[in-house]
Structure formats: C-alpha cells, structure tokens
Amino acid sequence: MVKRNEARMIMHDLQHQQMIVQRRLEQVLIAFFAVCALFVVVVYVTAPSIYTQALMLSPAPTDRYPFPATVFLVALLVFIAVVIVGVMRHWRWLFWLLLIAFGFSILQIPATIVQLMGGVHGSFPAWYSFGRMGVALFEVGLAVWMIQIYQHHGVWAMGKKN
C-alpha cells in the first residue's frame, strides 16, 4: 500500500513538472510570435521600403505603403495568428515544423555576416540585418530547448508514447 502511494506521488510530481514545462514552452512561443508580429508592423511603419525590396516591387515616390506590401503584411499577421492558435492547441505537426524552422535559422547567422561584410549584395539596412541575426540566435536557442523537451517529456511536453 505504501509503495502504491509513493508511485502515485511520483507520477503526480512528473505530471506536474510536465505541465509546468508545457505552459512555459507555450508562453515563450506565444510571446515570441507576438513580438514577431509587433516587429513586422514596426518595420512596415518605419521602413516600408524593406517590404518593397523583399517583394521586388518598383518603388513609387508617391506611394509610401504600396497595396501589395500591405496585403503581404496582413497575410503575415494572419499566419502568425494561426501559428499562435496552433501553439495553444498543441498541434503535433506544428511542433515539428517549428523545431525544423528554428533549427535551420542557424544558417541566417553566417548569411547575414557575409552580407554585412559585402560578400553578397544586401539591400537591407544594417539594423534590420542585425535584428534578423538576433532573432535567428533566439530561434536556435528555442530549437535546442524544444529538442530537450521532446527528449524528456515528448511533443509539447505532453508525455512520451510508450
């Protein structure tokens, strides 16, 4: 009887720890994507030319916020909202997609360094390139953390399947 109670307490502690990890991962990812949404809006308001260049639109001096760039911004914000919903609902496929995308963000760092050194023609301002590189570092950190969570607690820290 005593061993059974001890086993229940251990299981309860493991489940509690899993819930804490799950909530923490969810909160960090939602905060990350909320900051991303804020960043894309700030970039659109302060330097809409970045969107014009990224979408390969011809810049018009009279049209500061071109319609295609605005549509792209709205589509990007809708995409971020869908990802946040997926994080909250613990979509298994989204866990793997985010893990892969965040892991491959490591490639953004040397690419940005080469661009800033003049090895590749870069049309983005230095502040934007450094911002992207900082985000890539954070994403790689998230990928490493997600791998650790998967190894110890399974996908979205919801428990491992036996």
Side-chain angles (χ1 to χ4, degrees), residues 58-138:
S58 55
T62 57
D63 193 12
R64 181 164 163 82
Y65 302 104
F67 182 71
T70 305
V71 169
F72 179 74
L73 172 70
V74 170
L76 197 53
L77 292 173
V78 167
F79 175 75
I80 290 172
V82 169
V83 169
I84 289 173
V85 168
V87 167
M88 292 181 349
R89 291 179 162 248
H90 304 131
W91 293 342
R92 182 175 292 274
W93 63 268
L94 184 62
F95 179 89
W96 294 112
L97 183 67
L98 291 176
L99 179 62
I100 291 167
F102 290 165
F104 277 106
S105 291
I106 193 86
L107 299 174
Q108 182 68 33
I109 297 164
T112 302
I113 291 170
V114 169
Q115 176 202 345
L116 290 171
M117 291 175 56
V120 176
H121 175 66
S123 56
F124 299 119
W127 65 267
Y128 181 75
S129 297
F130 282 120
R132 283 188 356 210
M133 195 164 51
V135 169
L137 284 170
F138 186 74

Side-chain angles (χ1 to χ4, degrees), residues 4-46:
R4 190 176 290 182
N5 286 339
E6 287 178 17
R8 283 184 192 158
M9 286 178 36
I10 290 171
M11 282 299 290
H12 178 68
D13 287 345
L14 288 173
Q15 289 172 341
H16 181 69
Q17 182 184 11
Q18 239 175 265
M19 287 295 291
I20 290 171
V21 171
Q22 183 182 47
R23 271 192 235 120
R24 200 171 289 153
L25 176 62
E26 185 177 314
Q27 291 168 347
V28 168
L29 287 174
I30 290 170
F32 172 74
F33 286 113
V35 169
C36 286
L38 180 65
F39 183 73
V40 297
V41 171
V42 168
V43 167
Y44 181 77
V45 170
T46 59

